[in-house]
Amino acid sequence: MCKPSTSTYCLPPTFKDFEDAAKPFLTIASDTTKEPNEKRKASEEIGTLAAIQYNADRHGLTFSASQAAHEEFRGPHVVDLTYKTSTGAIEIKEAKGGSSSYGERNSHLHGKKVKQCTVEYTETIIDLMKGSNYKGRHPEAACAAHTGAPDGKCGDCKSAERKRRRKSGSDMSIALSLDNIEKHAVRGNYDGDCLKKPEKIEAYKIVGGKPVPV
């Protein structure tokens, strides 16, 4: 059972930075007056931050160092987060907020529907990122004219985001061919005004196209 809402922090002190980062989204996610879509997006952000905290614990990093070392992607046809280890391995983080479940999609590689928890799904997303034709309104990468503040109306910013996605897809594709990629699914859950510790749902290395638990 979580601590009363009068408590500033619900988790041990080592999770303080994670809680500070997630609190604004928790306020939205737990507000019954907010629209479902707004609550869902806030819950997704909590999941992303939980995956970053999980990585910090796993690799002995601070929360901020873990956050800086990750590449984040938003929207369809992308992984949530990637992290390159000191050995050159790539860890894909799949972030789940609240009680959200695995989704599924049609795979152009496998000719069937594949679920998020499967190797086939990961292979499909990597291939889509490698050939990304991003034209969205919220690029994360910026062109030279908009350094630090990507402009969703700028074609060069969109081009920069396409290149970023394609490079990440290419890097993951190479790592996949070398059996040097891992998939970690992490849940960021909460109870009322309290965040819960990030929870590992599953983790495996992809070896020869098969999942090997790590």
Side-chain angles (χ1 to χ4, degrees):
M1 192 166 182
C2 84
K3 297 179 183 179
S5 59
T6 53
S7 175
T8 304
Y9 296 98
C10 299
L11 297 175
T14 52
F15 292 90
K16 180 180 180 296
D17 290 343
F18 161 62
E19 287 197 85
D20 284 340
K23 275 180 179 179
F25 302 108
L26 177 62
T27 299
I28 296 171
S30 59
D31 187 342
T32 58
T33 67
K34 298 294 184 182
E35 293 294 324
N37 189 52
E38 189 176 5
K39 289 163 64 71
R40 177 184 58 78
K41 288 182 178 179
S43 183
E44 288 175 353
E45 292 294 339
I46 293 172
T48 296
L49 295 169
I52 290 169
Q53 177 62 52
Y54 161 85
N55 188 79
D57 294 339
R58 175 175 163 77
H59 292 287
L61 302 172
T62 63
F63 176 81
S64 59
S66 178
Q67 190 169 35
H70 276 89
E71 267 210 278
E72 295 184 38
F73 299 92
R74 301 173 190 277
H77 318 312
V78 292
V79 298
D80 292 331
L81 298 146
T82 62
Y83 172 81
K84 184 173 287 189
T85 72
S86 58
T87 63
I90 295 179
E91 293 182 359
I92 296 172
K93 304 297 184 346
E94 185 171 301
K96 290 295 178 185
S99 59
S100 61
S101 57
Y102 284 126
E104 62 180 16
R105 64 174 301 129
N106 290 316
S107 171
H108 64 287
L109 290 180
H110 299 281
K112 63 179 182 179
K113 281 192 174 181
V114 292
K115 204 165 184 178
Q116 273 183 312
C117 55
T118 64
V119 171
E120 290 83 1
Y121 187 99
T122 299
E123 291 172 339
T124 300
I125 293 297
I126 289 174
D127 194 66
L128 287 170
M129 288 185 69
K130 192 168 61 171
S132 175
N133 192 30
Y134 178 83
K135 296 178 181 178
R137 295 175 295 174
H138 305 287
E140 298 289 321
C143 68
H146 295 102
T147 303
D151 184 344
K153 296 180 180 179
C154 173
D156 288 340
C157 285
K158 294 180 182 183
S159 177
E161 179 64 18
R162 276 195 299 276
K163 291 177 182 177
R164 184 176 82 101
R165 294 183 179 209
R166 288 175 181 177
K167 183 180 185 307
S168 185
S170 179
D171 289 346
M172 287 188 288
S173 182
I174 292 170
L176 190 64
S177 70
L178 297 173
D179 294 337
N180 206 24
I181 201 161
E182 294 183 10
K183 174 78 173 287
H184 295 255
V186 182
R187 185 176 303 283
N189 213 340
Y190 45 90
D191 181 7
D193 294 325
C194 280
L195 291 158
K196 294 185 177 181
K197 289 182 181 180
E199 173 193 359
K200 180 181 78 174
I201 303 172
E202 63 179 348
Y204 56 82
K205 186 174 184 177
I206 301 175
V207 180
K210 304 293 182 183
V212 178
V214 294

